[in-house]
Amino acid sequence: MSKHTKGPNLLHDNVGVLKSRMGTFYPGSHVIFRGHDLHTDLKDMDWVELYVFGITGRRFTKEQLRLMHSIWTYTSYPDVRLWNNRVAALAGSSRSTGNLGVAAALAVSEASIYGRGIDMRAISFLNRTRQHMNVGGNLAECIRLELELHRSIAGYGRPLINGDERNQHILELAKNLGLDQGSYLRLAFSIEETLFAGRWRMKMNYAGLVAALVADIGFSPREYYLFLFPAFLAGMQPCFIEASDRPEGTLYAIPCADILYEGESTRTWLNRNNS
Amino acid sequence: MSDTDNPNVIRSKIWREEPEPDNAFATRAAFCRGYDVYGEMLGQSRWVDMLFMLFQNEAPTTVQADLLETLAVALANPGPRDASVHAAMCGGVCGSTAASSLMAALAVGAGQLSGGREVFMSMEGWVECDTDLDAWRKRLAGLDAIPGSIWPAPDHPPGFDPHGVGTATSVKQTLACLARYGAGYRLPWLQQNLTGLEAASGCPLALSGVAAAAFTDLGFAPEQGEMLHLLLRLPGAAAHALEQRPLGYKNFPFGTVELEGEIAEESA
């Protein structure tokens, strides 16, 4: 028992001990946030600035913060059909609490075909591809390997439609802010060119574009993943409110007949084969 | 409009409902895998029969139902030291909603240390290696992280206890009890090959590893075992969350944070 065993000495050393580099509060006195007094040193930060400082410990320029704000703004859709928003709305329709509905909606936003699952894959693919290219690798080979691993390229193509209404707006803003010249963005466009020209016919979507823009700001994949957590948030509350204001239980009302049953025929429990 | 043209249908092999004649939304009868739930199963079937059948097409045999029920007893309460139960108590102790306490237990109990993801990965081991000890040795030597995964790279071999010294008695008792049912060949094989597997992993077997073998012997796929593990550990989280509520936060550990780094001396 040696290779992976860490305790119980390690656990003993940690009984009753809470060490932190991140911060603490001194009731009635002050709060330390990543080494700074929240109410004096950081009091003028806007919320997104504090949020990304909490994640990275780094400061960002006004232009970078403006872009980060808009990355969230441009992908907040108050459309109840979207699966995560629908969770918040169903909570409203079922007369649950807004906090529970929205928390669950954010949790399901870590999906494999959209949201955090795709975001992590997108930035990871960009990172690995750039490393590969830096040592003389071939882009087509990177794409082939990624397709072998995941059967798709995160950030390209889209669940509902091939094309993304958000891209032109965020690109225009990035250009105006002087943040459209990064090497990850160039790589992302090269990937799109290769994919679109090839048999895949896939265009870059918002996840691919934003991953490149934020990687160019210097975020690691984990920082990027945590940054995007509230990305869809602003679209959720409207869905909750509307469903809460309508008669209870009327959102996605489903009659019994709308379960399309494809299973076993009716059978008798007492006569089942029980060996 | 036929069912296939109706964009509002939900497809299911699990569940069918018949409406009351006067209300298309009121259930006159519900059928699980073809069995009349309220008309026949109620009063005749066990909770574990229903649980098993929700995930699999056929009802469990008596032996399978017995094994699942015993496993459910073993998993029902990880106890207040467990991180998932601790999370639920953080909800309970301050009067957070019931659902939030269970959501907290699920989120924390979803992970790769004693949680749902650990069971999933351990069950993947059974799919990949079955009872091939050499294949297990190779797998336990180190799992590669999946590039781009939302899950962190595994810190220890799934199903084993990174903080253990020897196999905990409770784990041995659970394994011995579950293996006796003879519902499958994996639990007995795990018992017989425990020494070799623990040597290969460098850690003693954990309860999650026993659960993974049991779920596999019951015919569940890794994603089903993950769900069931999350579900079956909730009763203890719920009970401990409620227990802490009247005791209040003043009787619940809070602690003192020691700041590390440059600011520590100035701030204290």
Side-chain angles (χ1 to χ4, degrees):
Chain A
M1 308 293 168
S2 58
K3 201 166 37 171
H4 298 283
T5 299
K6 298 167 185 166
N9 289 343
L10 181 64
L11 295 180
H12 272 300
D13 292 346
N14 282 277
V15 173
V17 175
L18 300 165
K19 290 184 177 169
S20 177
R21 288 177 289 111
M22 294 300 176
T24 187
F25 88 111
Y26 299 90
S29 174
H30 64 292
V31 175
I32 298 299
F33 191 116
R34 276 198 178 263
H36 299 268
D37 188 310
L38 179 66
H39 299 112
T40 56
D41 305 338
L42 308 180
K43 68 183 168 60
D44 295 323
M45 275 188 166
D46 82 4
W47 191 80
V48 171
E49 190 177 7
L50 181 69
Y51 184 66
V52 293
F53 178 67
I55 292 169
T56 65
R58 301 192 298 275
R59 310 289 183 116
F60 297 90
T61 66
K62 270 192 304 189
E63 291 76 17
Q64 289 169 331
L65 289 166
R66 172 79 178 82
L67 185 67
M68 287 189 243
H69 271 97
S70 295
I71 283 170
W72 289 354
T73 305
Y74 293 1
T75 195
S76 295
Y77 292 9
D79 187 325
V80 72
R81 296 172 303 170
L82 296 170
W83 309 275
N84 48 359
N85 288 351
R86 203 188 303 183
V87 172
L90 286 167
S93 183
S94 303
R95 302 300 188 255
S96 185
T97 75
N99 216 75
L100 286 171
V102 173
L106 279 177
V108 303
S109 301
E110 189 166 60
S112 58
I113 66 160
Y114 74 94
R116 304 301 80 73
I118 284 295
D119 296 329
M120 270 301 265
R121 275 179 50 200
I123 196 165
S124 160
F125 176 57
L126 286 175
N127 264 350
R128 283 179 283 120
T129 303
R130 193 164 87 160
Q131 283 166 17
H132 195 73
M133 304 279 281
N134 283 347
V135 292
N138 173 283
L139 183 55
E141 176 65 4
C142 291
I143 290 172
R144 190 190 65 75
L145 288 172
E146 186 71 2
L147 284 168
E148 205 174 279
L149 183 66
H150 290 297
R151 286 180 295 179
S152 64
I153 305 289
Y156 296 86
R158 212 173 169 200
L160 296 175
I161 193 166
N162 196 13
D164 200 310
E165 65 284 348
R166 298 163 287 190
N167 283 17
Q168 57 168 322
H169 302 292
I170 202 75
L171 257 183
E172 192 181 323
L173 179 66
K175 189 177 174 186
N176 292 341
L177 295 168
L179 295 172
D180 65 336
Q181 298 300 315
S183 60
Y184 278 109
L185 189 60
R186 279 200 303 279
L187 174 61
F189 279 117
S190 304
I191 294 167
E192 180 180 50
E193 211 171 290
T194 308
L195 282 173
F196 199 71
R199 64 186 168 89
W200 306 282
R201 309 295 294 168
M202 284 190 295
K203 295 194 67 113
M204 181 164 34
N205 60 34
Y206 195 65
L209 179 54
V210 167
L213 290 169
V214 180
D216 277 330
I217 292 175
F219 277 48
S220 70
R222 185 169 73 172
E223 290 167 348
Y224 178 61
Y225 165 85
L226 292 171
F227 161 67
L228 280 178
F229 168 70
F232 305 127
L233 180 61
M236 292 171 177
Q237 283 81 356
C239 297
F240 174 82
I241 289 166
E242 188 164 59
S244 301
D245 289 346
R246 291 188 190 279
E248 60 184 340
T250 53
L251 181 73
Y252 281 95
I254 302 171
C256 295
D258 276 2
I259 299 173
L260 177 56
Y261 183 65
E262 298 169 323
E264 295 290 332
S265 305
T266 304
R267 46 188 173 169
T268 310
W269 179 256
L270 292 177
N271 291 343
R272 75 192 185 284
N273 186 17
N274 183 9
S275 49
Chain B
M1 190 191 293
S2 74
D3 282 336
T4 47
D5 297 331
N6 180 354
N8 298 320
V9 297
I10 293 174
R11 299 173 60 168
S12 178
K13 288 181 178 170
I14 300 171
W15 200 260
R16 179 171 77 82
E17 291 184 31
E18 290 176 358
E20 291 289 359
D22 61 351
N23 185 349
F25 296 89
T27 309
R28 188 189 68 78
F31 298 85
C32 182
R33 308 280 185 192
Y35 297 115
D36 185 340
V37 176
Y38 300 98
E40 201 188 7
M41 284 181 70
L42 222 57
Q44 308 282 350
S45 66
R46 296 157 69 181
W47 146 245
V48 284
D49 289 330
M50 186 65 170
L51 183 64
F52 186 97
M53 226 166 42
L54 282 167
F55 291 87
Q56 299 199 31
N57 198 45
E58 296 300 328
T61 63
T62 304
V63 167
Q64 287 173 322
D66 288 345
L67 174 60
L68 182 56
E69 189 163 301
T70 304
L71 176 61
V73 172
L75 296 179
N77 188 16
R81 296 190 308 113
D82 180 85
S84 72
V85 179
H86 191 159
M89 292 190 298
C90 286
V93 77
C94 292
S96 303
T97 55
S100 71
S101 290
L102 293 187
M103 286 161 73
L106 287 172
V108 175
Q112 294 171 175
L113 181 61
S114 312
R117 192 67 186 174
E118 176 155 44
V119 169
F120 176 88
M121 292 195 299
S122 185
M123 289 179 74
E124 278 191 324
W126 285 105
V127 172
E128 184 185 310
C129 308
D130 201 37
T131 54
D132 180 342
L133 191 55
D134 284 337
W136 274 107
R137 284 195 183 108
K138 205 171 155 189
R139 181 179 168 86
L140 293 171
L143 278 178
D144 291 333
I146 301 166
S149 172
I150 53 171
W151 298 97
D155 277 348
H156 69 272
F160 295 84
D161 176 9
H163 298 300
V165 176
T167 322
T169 304
S170 54
V171 173
K172 284 192 279 197
Q173 287 171 326
T174 306
L175 178 57
C177 178
L178 299 183
R180 278 200 294 273
Y181 284 97
Y185 57 84
R186 295 170 193 86
L187 283 162
W189 186 86
L190 176 60
Q191 201 176 19
Q192 285 153 19
N193 292 276
L194 189 57
T195 311
L197 289 166
E198 288 182 334
S201 72
C203 310
L205 185 68
L207 194 59
S208 58
V210 181
F215 284 132
T216 311
D217 265 352
L218 285 166
F220 294 113
E223 56 270 23
Q224 294 173 326
E226 181 180 23
M227 278 282 192
L228 285 165
H229 192 259
L230 285 165
L231 184 68
L232 294 176
R233 279 161 44 103
L234 285 181
H240 283 293
L242 288 178
E243 183 183 45
Q244 291 304 317
R245 190 165 182 164
L247 293 172
Y249 70 89
K250 287 183 180 169
N251 291 306
F252 191 67
F254 192 62
T256 304
V257 171
E258 291 173 24
L259 284 183
E260 293 177 316
E262 286 174 17
I263 197 72
E265 287 165 22
E266 305 166 27
S267 305

